[in-house]
Amino acid sequence: MEQTWRWWGPNDLITLSDICQVGATGIVTSLHDIPTGTAWTKDAVTERKSIIETDKSLGLRWSVVESIQVHESIKLAEDGAKEFYETYRESLRNLGGAGIDTVCYNFMPVLDWARTQLRYPLPGGATALRFNAHEFAAFDVHMLARPGAAADYSRDVLDRAKHWFDAATEDTKRSLLATIMAGLPGAFDRYDIAGLRTMLARYAQVDHAKLRANLVRFLEEIIPTAEQAGVRMAIHPDDPPRPLLGLPRITSTADDIAFILDAVPSPSNGLTLCTGSLGARPANDLPAIAKRFADRIHFVHLRNVSTDPDGSFMEADHLGGGTDMVAVVQALLTEQQRRQKASDPHWRLPFRPDHGHEMLDDVGKATHPGYPAIGRMRGLAEIRGVMTALAHQHGFAL
């Protein structure tokens, strides 16, 4: 499997030289400076590719785009969506022309991933990302004051949410809002309470079925271009995999994934297997999902979470948490072996260690939440060890 690393671009504190040192060879990045809905030009794509690949001694290549953000007008199927389909298609053509053939994207409305703590303290001084159900409920019910929000939470969660809200200072409440808004990595929109209410109002008539239909429309619009450009689209699961703020989520279960892949049956319509996102829903069987959709997995995020009965969860060690990471990696290596025997040019699956604990010298550095160097390096090293052991045992190619 191709070992890759998410890089936030030339302003990232973690340099390309650093990435070379941790042993990754593929770069996962996006043109975050280009606003959502604006086409990525040939020059912009070529410039970023050149930055990554010019120094041949580093042995790096631009392996995966993560991501081209999908404009909210597309998710809403609004009248103005037509122009955004075209700019998305133009971006795909320019990426394909530059030899970049894998695009990770998501179809989560308004928010991408959601957490309530960006630096939850761990023993020894490290920190982790965490989602506390009662804090999110406090935001939803008391700060946002969304009509009907209380119906989405248990009595116990609501009681703890009220206690948290009553004890919270204004600074604490502002910090919670900022933390929830941090789930828009690389995006331009950052909402205050009023702005978030406005966005939610736009989705008032969009339920699960409608959002599904809007995703199918998006795929029908862009997959033919992706096929022509030699680009494989890989949808990222919802994080967390359940409705938030009254918004539907449609990539949360194996059945959701099957619907999406069957709706537009093309090799260019595929999956980003994220074990952390799907793992936050205890009913999801990640090894089974990896096996079921193996031939449509184009990109892999490997991380682990530990879950609580109330819906809270925390980023765990990569080989800890609730997901059997060894079984997942074995399923992926089995699929990779099948592709290699079939002479598939995409036989090597790109994966990256997703998220990581902030630890050691990274503590307090201004890295993107979940993306410190040392925590991810630890995760990559652990997964590399699993891969090597399985390859030795079963004769898999790495």
Side-chain angles (χ1 to χ4, degrees):
M1 293 166 66
E2 182 185 17
Q3 299 173 41
T4 71
W5 189 272
R6 189 167 192 179
W7 184 58
W8 295 89
N11 294 325
D12 197 330
L13 291 180
I14 300 165
T15 67
L16 294 172
S17 296
D18 295 336
I19 296 169
C20 174
Q21 290 180 56
V22 306
T25 57
I27 297 298
V28 178
T29 194
S30 181
L31 304 184
H32 294 301
D33 56 314
I34 298 179
T36 301
T38 302
W40 293 13
T41 65
K42 291 180 181 179
D43 288 346
V45 170
T46 300
E47 180 183 12
R48 179 60 59 86
K49 182 179 171 71
S50 177
I51 291 171
I52 294 167
E53 300 181 5
T54 293
D55 187 346
K56 300 301 182 184
S57 69
L58 299 180
L60 302 175
R61 77 180 189 102
W62 188 355
S63 177
V64 178
V65 171
E66 187 177 350
S67 59
I68 309 176
Q69 295 286 332
V70 178
H71 199 278
E72 296 296 327
S73 287
I74 290 176
K75 298 174 191 176
L76 288 160
E78 293 177 331
D79 290 341
K82 184 176 180 180
E83 66 175 286
F84 298 118
Y85 291 132
E86 182 49 42
T87 56
Y88 210 101
R89 286 191 288 260
E90 183 179 347
S91 297
L92 293 181
R93 286 190 287 265
N94 291 335
L95 286 165
I100 302 160
D101 60 15
T102 305
V103 173
C104 170
Y105 73 102
N106 76 72
F107 215 76
M108 290 178 262
V110 185
L111 296 177
D112 287 2
W113 56 268
R115 302 292 185 273
T116 62
Q117 289 180 276
L118 300 181
R119 289 182 170 85
Y120 177 79
L122 300 173
T127 66
L129 299 177
R130 183 173 174 82
F131 179 95
N132 288 318
H134 72 281
E135 289 180 341
F136 198 85
F139 174 79
D140 193 7
V141 175
H142 300 293
M143 293 173 59
L144 187 62
R146 178 173 63 87
D152 292 345
Y153 305 96
S154 70
R155 184 72 262 165
D156 172 66
V157 168
L158 289 172
D159 289 344
R160 287 186 286 126
K162 183 64 164 61
H163 183 268
W164 181 96
F165 180 77
D166 288 344
T169 65
E170 290 305 312
D171 282 345
T172 302
K173 295 172 187 176
R174 281 192 291 269
S175 177
L176 179 59
L177 172 62
T179 297
I180 292 171
M181 287 303 102
L184 294 166
F188 279 69
D189 292 330
R190 290 291 185 272
Y191 306 116
D192 57 13
I193 294 294
L196 186 53
R197 287 172 180 156
T198 299
M199 279 302 305
L200 294 180
R202 290 174 64 186
Y203 277 90
Q205 304 304 315
V206 178
D207 59 9
H208 185 273
K210 179 64 173 175
L211 190 62
R212 265 190 169 186
N214 295 349
L215 170 58
V216 173
R217 169 71 186 280
F218 169 70
L219 293 172
E220 290 172 342
E221 289 281 351
I222 63 98
I223 289 300
T225 299
E227 292 173 340
Q228 295 165 6
V231 172
R232 301 174 303 161
M233 300 293 295
I235 193 167
H236 187 286
D238 303 321
D239 186 9
R242 58 177 180 266
L244 292 179
L245 305 178
L247 296 166
R249 295 228 163 174
I250 57 172
T251 318
S252 296
T253 67
D255 288 345
D256 288 339
I257 295 167
F259 173 86
I260 293 165
L261 300 184
D262 291 345
V264 180
S266 164
S268 286
N269 177 26
L271 173 67
T272 293
L273 179 69
C274 181
T275 57
S277 296
L278 291 168
R281 188 182 183 112
N284 283 333
D285 183 336
L286 268 300
I289 288 173
K291 292 174 184 177
R292 179 177 176 182
F293 302 109
D295 64 335
R296 300 285 284 278
I297 295 172
H298 298 328
F299 183 38
V300 182
H301 291 175
L302 295 179
R303 63 178 171 90
N304 225 318
V305 295
S306 56
T307 60
D308 298 332
D310 68 354
S312 302
F313 61 91
M314 186 185 75
E315 308 278 2
D317 293 336
H318 283 72
L319 301 185
T323 293
D324 185 344
M325 192 63 71
V326 175
V328 170
V329 173
Q330 182 166 344
L332 296 172
L333 287 173
T334 299
E335 168 61 15
Q336 185 171 266
Q337 185 179 49
R338 183 197 68 78
R339 295 183 188 189
Q340 186 182 31
K341 288 181 177 179
S343 300
D344 186 336
H346 302 295
W347 69 271
R348 287 195 77 201
L349 272 168
F351 84 93
R352 65 173 179 84
D354 193 19
H355 297 181
H357 293 163
E358 189 178 84
M359 59 196 302
L360 302 175
D361 289 347
D362 277 338
V363 173
K365 288 184 178 177
T367 52
H368 288 267
Y371 291 94
I374 298 173
R376 284 188 290 162
M377 181 173 68
R378 174 183 171 179
L380 179 59
E382 291 174 345
I383 294 166
R384 184 185 294 141
V386 169
M387 288 168 47
T388 303
L390 289 171
H392 179 76
Q393 181 179 2
H394 298 287
F396 293 135
L398 293 176

